[in-house]
């Protein structure tokens, strides 16, 4: 029988407290209204870009109309679209949030009036026009634990802006409570949302998308993998050939559960991409809560999981963008830019052929190596080989 020393327990409790404070610190004192009470005028020259963000959600309506959606669950999915402007002074990797209810588009991300759709058909018609205008490409983003609705909207906007993604951005937002103490509630909310995500992916495909990329973060990987597993059970694992890249960023997912999901899904036609780091403190705490079981996002025994049809990108040595090292995929300006370059490649879905896997990963590796100070900041393990980053070397 294993003995857990008191000192070890204390260390974990202290780490949990530090992590909770760090996570809460990003939200402390901030209201979570998406829509500002008032907005100051800003010249067009002060705006970098306006983004149309399409939204599918299992959140219930908030009591405050400016918050729009709450952390409570809804039994029925809702659909909406919001325009969000990004200021010209925006720095890649950051989200410049307004400090209160008065928005200044010249300084901060600013959400405009949100439009709701009465049903999925109306949503599909609007989304279809936007997808067509974006060359038939769409990106579905699924956020993680401890995320308010406004946080999710701002995050996908920042990803679309900084990655330079050329497709239509679609946010799938499940009912996270937005509190560090509600991890179990969030886990259950993610589970409740898996059918809605499956239907959302089908809806995006139905709306004229030729290619659908997926980026999931943290606990959002649980609902993502469950939805993909369900698609496989219905014999439509790649959305009739429309599924593009699947990026699993800092996945808060038990490794054994992931293996089980992949066994049911089967090997993808082209590998899923797992972004991992041994220095992800948030996943360290999650692992401890789960009985010291490793999470996929900090599990660096890449050879153990690449056989399931994934590429593992080790970001351990990359400078994190947050105190916990949990949002490096979006907060590190170099990583998000190169992620966008990869997603924008026209041949992204050709990864099923061995030569294409090596060629594309080499290009990704060379790009990262040229933009980071260290000559060996990233190790990429593919189903075929291990690529150590530097000058694109092996």
């Amino acid at each position: 029988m294993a003995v857990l020393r008191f000192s070890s327990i204390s260390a974990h409790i202290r780490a949990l407290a530090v992590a909770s404070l760090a996570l809460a610190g990003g939200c402390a004192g901030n209201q979570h209204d998406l829509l500002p009470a008032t907005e100051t005028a800003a010249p067009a020259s002060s705006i970098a870009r306006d983004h149309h963000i399409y939204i599918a959600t299992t959140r219930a309506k908030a009591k405050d109309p400016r918050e729009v959606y709450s952390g409570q669950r809804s039994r029925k999915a809702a659909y909406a679209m919001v325009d969000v402007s990004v200021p010209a002074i925006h720095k890649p990797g950051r989200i410049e949030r307004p400090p209160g209810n008065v928005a200044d588009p010249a300084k901060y991300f600013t959400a405009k009036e949100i439009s709701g759709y009465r049903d999925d058909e109306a949503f599909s018609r609007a989304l279809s026009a936007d997808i067509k205008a974006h060359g038939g490409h769409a990106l579905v983003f699924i956020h993680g634990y401890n995320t308010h609705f406004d946080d999710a909207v701002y995050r996908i906007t920042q990803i679309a802006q900084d990655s330079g993604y050329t497709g239509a951005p679609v946010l799938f937002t499940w009912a996270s409570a937005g509190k560090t103490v509600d991890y179990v509630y969030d886990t259950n909310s993610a589970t409740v949302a898996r059918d809605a995500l499956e239907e959302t992916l089908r809806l995006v495909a139905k709306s004229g998308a030729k290619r659908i990329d997926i980026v999931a973060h943290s606990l959002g990987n649980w609902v993502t993998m469950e939805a993909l597993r369900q698609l496989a059970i219905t014999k439509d694992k790649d959305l009739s050939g429309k599924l593009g890249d699947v990026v699993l960023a800092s996945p808060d997912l038990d490794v054994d559960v992931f293996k089980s999901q992949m066994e049911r899904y089967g090997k993808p036609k082209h590998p899923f991409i797992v972004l991992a780091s041994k220095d992800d403190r948030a996943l360290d705490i999650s692992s401890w809560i789960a009985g010291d079981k490793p999470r996929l996002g900090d599990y660096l025994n890449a050879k153990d999981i690449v056989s399931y049809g994934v590429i593992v990108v080790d970001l351990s040595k990359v400078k994190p963008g947050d105190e916990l090292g949990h949002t490096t995929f979006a907060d590190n300006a170099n990583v998000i830019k190169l992620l966008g370059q990869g997603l924008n490649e026209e041949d992204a879905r050709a990864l099923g052929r061995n030569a294409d896997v090596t060629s594309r990963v080499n290009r990704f590796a060379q790009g990262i190596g040229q933009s980071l100070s260290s000559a060996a900041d990233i190790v990429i393990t593919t189903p075929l080989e291990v690529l150590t980053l530097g000058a694109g070397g092996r």
Side-chain angles (χ1 to χ4, degrees):
M1 177 175 164
V3 177
L4 184 62
R5 296 182 181 276
F6 179 77
S7 60
S8 176
I9 296 175
S10 298
H12 277 102
I13 291 175
R14 286 195 301 272
L16 179 59
V18 170
S20 296
L21 288 172
L23 284 168
C27 305
N30 288 340
Q31 296 179 334
H32 285 281
D33 294 343
L34 176 67
L35 303 175
T38 59
E39 179 183 329
T40 59
S45 60
S46 68
I47 306 300
R49 186 177 172 189
D50 288 307
H51 294 269
H52 303 301
I53 306 298
Y54 288 84
I55 300 164
T57 183
T58 55
R59 294 175 182 266
K61 278 280 191 178
K63 293 180 180 179
D64 185 342
R66 290 198 298 269
E67 185 182 355
V68 189
Y69 290 104
S70 71
Q72 298 299 309
R73 302 169 189 150
S74 171
R75 296 296 299 170
K76 184 179 180 181
Y79 305 94
M81 190 277 286
V82 63
D83 287 325
V84 185
S85 64
V86 177
I89 65 168
H90 166 69
K91 296 185 182 302
R94 295 184 59 186
I95 298 176
E96 292 86 2
R97 294 186 54 132
N101 283 330
V102 179
D104 183 351
K107 296 180 179 179
Y108 309 111
F109 281 57
T110 302
K112 312 296 182 180
E113 182 178 359
I114 191 167
S115 302
Y117 299 96
R118 64 178 180 272
D119 54 31
D120 57 354
E121 291 294 333
F123 176 74
S124 178
R125 285 194 295 272
L127 178 60
S128 178
D130 209 57
I131 289 176
K132 184 177 181 180
H134 285 84
H137 292 186
L139 170 67
V140 179
F141 173 65
I142 304 96
H143 63 76
Y145 154 67
N146 188 27
T147 301
H148 290 270
F149 177 66
D150 61 320
D151 297 327
V153 171
Y154 287 138
R155 177 60 79 186
I156 189 174
T157 303
Q158 179 256 319
I159 290 172
Q161 176 70 26
D162 294 344
S163 69
Y165 184 74
T166 57
V170 179
L171 169 65
F172 181 82
T173 174
W174 47 277
S176 167
K179 300 177 182 177
T180 56
V181 295
D182 282 340
Y183 184 82
V184 174
Y185 174 87
D186 274 20
T187 301
N188 290 334
S189 289
T191 302
V192 169
R194 57 190 173 185
D195 289 348
L197 177 56
E198 177 190 357
E199 289 307 312
T200 296
L201 293 173
R202 294 186 191 277
L203 190 58
V204 176
K206 174 186 172 183
S207 300
K210 299 175 183 177
R211 177 178 135 202
I212 302 168
D213 296 312
I214 296 174
V215 174
H217 178 236
S218 187
L219 192 57
N221 285 275
W222 160 250
V223 63
T224 298
M225 285 304 305
E226 283 294 284
L228 290 173
R229 178 180 179 273
Q230 291 175 186
L231 284 171
I233 291 173
T234 63
K235 310 298 183 185
D236 191 24
K237 62 188 290 183
D238 66 348
L239 295 168
S240 300
K242 296 181 178 181
L243 185 63
D245 278 327
V246 175
V247 180
L248 310 177
S250 306
D252 187 0
L253 184 60
D254 184 286
V255 172
D256 290 333
V257 171
F258 174 71
K259 290 178 179 179
S260 173
Q261 291 166 327
M262 290 302 295
E263 285 168 358
R264 185 67 186 203
Y265 182 86
K267 281 192 177 181
K269 289 186 177 179
H270 55 282
F272 293 173
I273 301 169
V274 176
L275 305 182
S277 171
K278 67 178 178 59
D279 296 322
D280 190 323
R281 293 172 60 206
L283 292 184
D284 182 53
I285 299 302
S286 177
S287 174
W288 176 69
I289 292 172
D292 286 329
K293 295 295 184 181
R295 315 311 281 172
L296 182 63
D298 61 5
Y299 185 69
L300 298 181
N301 184 6
K303 292 181 179 180
D304 183 43
I305 56 176
V306 294
S307 61
Y308 291 87
V310 302
I311 291 171
V312 179
V313 182
D314 180 2
L315 300 175
S316 298
K317 295 182 180 180
V318 174
K319 183 179 180 180
D322 68 316
E323 294 182 18
L324 299 180
H326 193 53
T327 55
T328 302
F329 83 103
D331 289 344
N332 183 287
N334 292 320
V335 173
I336 187 63
K337 179 180 179 181
L338 288 159
L339 178 61
Q341 289 177 0
L343 293 174
N344 284 331
E345 284 193 6
E346 290 298 326
D347 65 347
R349 293 187 297 141
L351 281 171
R353 298 194 297 272
N354 290 351
D356 289 329
V357 174
T358 304
S359 174
R360 186 170 175 220
V361 171
N362 262 317
R363 291 197 301 275
F364 181 81
Q366 289 169 359
I368 291 271
Q370 290 166 2
S371 64
L372 297 175
S373 57
S374 171
D377 281 312
I378 292 181
V379 175
I380 298 178
T381 306
T382 80
L384 302 173
E385 57 190 318
V386 177
L387 303 173
T388 302
L389 257 109
R394 301 181 187 177

